[in-house]
Amino acid sequence: QPFALRGLATAGAAGAGGWWARSCAVATEHLEGWRTAAAGWAPSAARSIATSTAASMVKPGNIKEHALLKDWMFEEMGIAKPGSEPKRRRSGAIAVKCGMTAEWNEHGVRVPLTVLWIDDCRVTQVKTQVKEGYTALQLGAGSKKAKRLNRSERGHFIAGDLPFSAELTEFRVSPDAILPVGTAIGASHFSAGQYVDIQGRTIGKGFQGPMKRWGFSGLPASHGTTKKHRAHGSIGNSQDPGRVWKGKKMAGRMGNRKRTVQSVLVYKVDADRNLLYVKGQVPGKAGRFLKITDALRKPPERPAYPAWGFGDFAEGAPSGVSVAKMKDPFITQSE
């Protein structure tokens, strides 16, 4: 394109005026912009690349402005590259799924809820960047008899002077969110109205056929089909490729997989009984342990960082029952 523009500019110089001259002037300006971009980039006082010459190189809306900038360019400008700031991550909690219930909010709308019980959740181990290569907190929840644990597990709890826990889970945290071993985390760690991500294992269904597992329609139910009504049919080609493609939907074990439900609303918090009431369903059956963290896509505005009793939240944790305020679905706000 630069060679074509150079020839267009040369021909325009010898041609007559009018629209041809204006086209040649624009072509010359574009050519100078490419030469400037190829020679190198220099930071301007406005700290932007959207100049008259460089703007023609990028179509608006297709490429972000900072996508063409290198790291050393941000260092010269003295600003941080978007997305390079480390995110603050605090610890989550381990809860037991108790079951489902429902309540009516202040607007008379029925809200389906899942009850989660945070049973004696506390920090059992601190993992640092120097020793383990990453920063995380290991939390334990529930209780277990000593005879139900092996020797290494008993030694792990005895070394930290901790009660025997039934479940252990790690939470990646920021270096400034490390909590000492033995710190208890209750339901007040979360606030009513915030959103959380809940991870657990789905209910296992055992070995199931393709109709139940994948929703296949099966083979024809009319005459001509013998004992193959619920089969999946063909599973691949013949000589080429001579095998079954990986990931082919066939009969197999269904359920019992780790799944995460994101942006679940915390409807009510009962700090005295360590109960969380979240809106909707969560994976797993009643009695299974779940992993609760702050929502990734809808983070809380001002959480207790890193936890109640530390930093700016050194005062005591709130008590009682708190309920989130929900929007009135019967009111339509006009523009």
Side-chain angles (χ1 to χ4, degrees):
Q1 290 181 352
F3 293 99
L5 292 177
R6 187 180 296 112
L8 180 63
T10 305
W19 67 271
W20 183 261
R22 291 193 299 269
S23 300
C24 294
V26 174
T28 305
E29 182 182 358
H30 284 214
L31 180 59
E32 294 298 331
W34 275 315
R35 289 175 177 174
T36 305
W41 180 89
S44 60
R47 296 179 178 178
S48 176
I49 64 171
T51 60
S52 59
T53 57
S56 60
M57 300 173 57
V58 181
K59 293 183 179 180
N62 293 345
I63 304 178
K64 297 181 180 180
E65 292 186 0
H66 63 269
L68 301 177
L69 301 182
K70 305 299 182 181
D71 294 339
W72 61 270
M73 299 178 183
F74 286 95
E75 294 178 0
E76 289 188 1
M77 291 187 291
I79 60 176
K81 184 178 180 179
S84 62
E85 300 85 355
K87 296 182 179 180
R88 303 177 67 188
R89 300 174 62 181
R90 64 169 186 163
S91 174
I94 306 174
V96 180
K97 181 179 179 179
C98 299
M100 293 197 68
T101 183
E103 290 187 5
W104 280 261
N105 60 11
E106 66 273 19
H107 306 294
V109 179
R110 185 177 183 272
V111 183
L113 302 173
T114 301
V115 184
L116 306 178
W117 175 36
I118 301 180
D119 178 23
D120 194 18
C121 182
R122 63 182 66 250
V123 180
T124 57
Q125 184 182 0
V126 178
K127 298 191 176 183
T128 59
Q129 184 71 27
V130 177
K131 188 175 181 181
E132 285 81 12
Y134 63 96
T135 306
L137 291 177
Q138 184 191 77
L139 270 62
S143 60
K144 213 170 189 179
K145 294 182 180 180
K147 65 178 182 179
R148 300 294 182 183
L149 302 174
N150 54 37
R151 184 177 297 177
S152 60
E153 291 175 343
R154 289 196 300 267
H156 177 66
F157 292 111
I158 293 174
D161 195 15
L162 299 169
F164 300 127
S165 300
E167 183 74 10
L168 293 176
T169 303
E170 279 191 9
F171 292 88
R172 291 291 187 98
V173 297
S174 304
D176 58 345
I178 293 179
L179 301 174
V181 176
T183 304
I185 296 179
S188 58
H189 189 70
F190 305 97
S191 59
Q194 80 163 95
Y195 292 88
V196 294
D197 294 340
I198 301 178
Q199 184 183 88
R201 301 195 74 87
T202 59
I203 299 177
K205 302 294 184 179
F207 192 96
Q208 299 296 332
M211 293 185 67
K212 180 179 177 63
R213 192 184 186 196
W214 302 110
F216 285 7
S217 59
L219 298 185
S222 62
H223 64 278
T225 303
T226 305
K227 296 188 292 185
K228 299 288 288 182
H229 300 282
R230 298 182 63 86
H232 44 63
S234 175
I235 60 174
N237 303 338
S238 180
Q239 188 69 23
D240 184 17
R243 60 183 176 86
V244 180
W245 295 102
K246 290 185 178 180
K248 177 64 179 175
K249 294 182 180 179
M250 301 175 65
R253 185 171 297 177
M254 181 180 178
N256 194 24
R257 294 179 178 271
K258 186 181 292 185
R259 292 292 182 263
T260 303
V261 180
Q262 295 185 334
S263 302
V264 181
L265 175 66
V266 179
Y267 177 76
K268 184 168 69 173
V269 177
D270 190 346
D272 297 335
R273 297 190 295 172
N274 275 337
L275 295 179
L276 292 177
Y277 296 79
V278 297
K279 182 181 178 182
Q281 74 281 359
V282 297
K285 61 173 63 175
R288 299 293 296 269
F289 286 96
L290 300 173
K291 183 178 179 180
I292 309 175
T293 55
D294 294 331
L296 177 65
R297 294 180 173 149
K298 294 182 179 181
E301 296 181 357
R302 193 175 182 272
Y305 191 88
W308 289 104
F310 300 91
D312 298 336
F313 299 87
E315 65 274 8
S319 59
V321 180
S322 58
V323 182
K325 295 182 179 180
M326 305 184 69
K327 295 181 180 180
D328 191 351
F330 303 104
I331 298 179
T332 304
Q333 297 180 359
S334 60
E335 296 182 358

